[in-house]
Amino acid sequence: MVGPREFERPIEEFRGKLDSFKIDEKCDSVYAGMLEALQTDYPDKVLSVLFKSPVRSKAVFDRAVAKAAQAQTQPANDGA
């Protein structure tokens, strides 16, 4: 987890820890959550119109964040 102390460190020290944050994995989870929300809740909407609505944008955001949080709490499936 990135906390305030991390941002007070020199960039070179912080850069060495980036891989441990698994940013790519988290972005993939959020993206999957967004796609799921869009395909399930708004299958016939045009994206430019959909995202003009703050309420709908927040609903997609909340669903994506929930999906990412859920993925983070599930144990990794390593095929074993």
Side-chain angles (χ1 to χ4, degrees):
M1 179 112 198
V2 178
R5 287 188 207 164
E6 292 296 331
F7 294 114
E8 294 173 3
R9 299 172 68 188
I11 291 172
E12 284 303 316
E13 288 180 29
F14 181 74
R15 190 173 300 170
K17 293 183 72 176
L18 282 177
D19 289 338
S20 69
F21 298 134
K22 300 179 181 178
I23 293 170
D24 290 339
E25 184 179 304
K26 290 176 176 132
C27 288
D28 288 342
S29 293
V30 170
Y31 178 70
M34 287 181 66
L35 284 180
E36 181 180 293
L38 293 170
Q39 292 171 344
T40 303
D41 300 340
Y42 309 105
D44 298 326
K45 295 288 183 187
V46 176
L47 292 180
S48 61
V49 175
L50 174 77
F51 287 111
K52 283 184 182 178
S53 165
V55 172
R56 289 184 184 145
S57 296
K58 184 171 180 345
V60 171
F61 172 81
D62 290 344
R63 180 99 165 255
V65 170
K67 177 93 173 173
Q70 179 184 16
Q72 226 176 355
T73 59
Q74 293 177 348
N77 184 3
D78 60 6

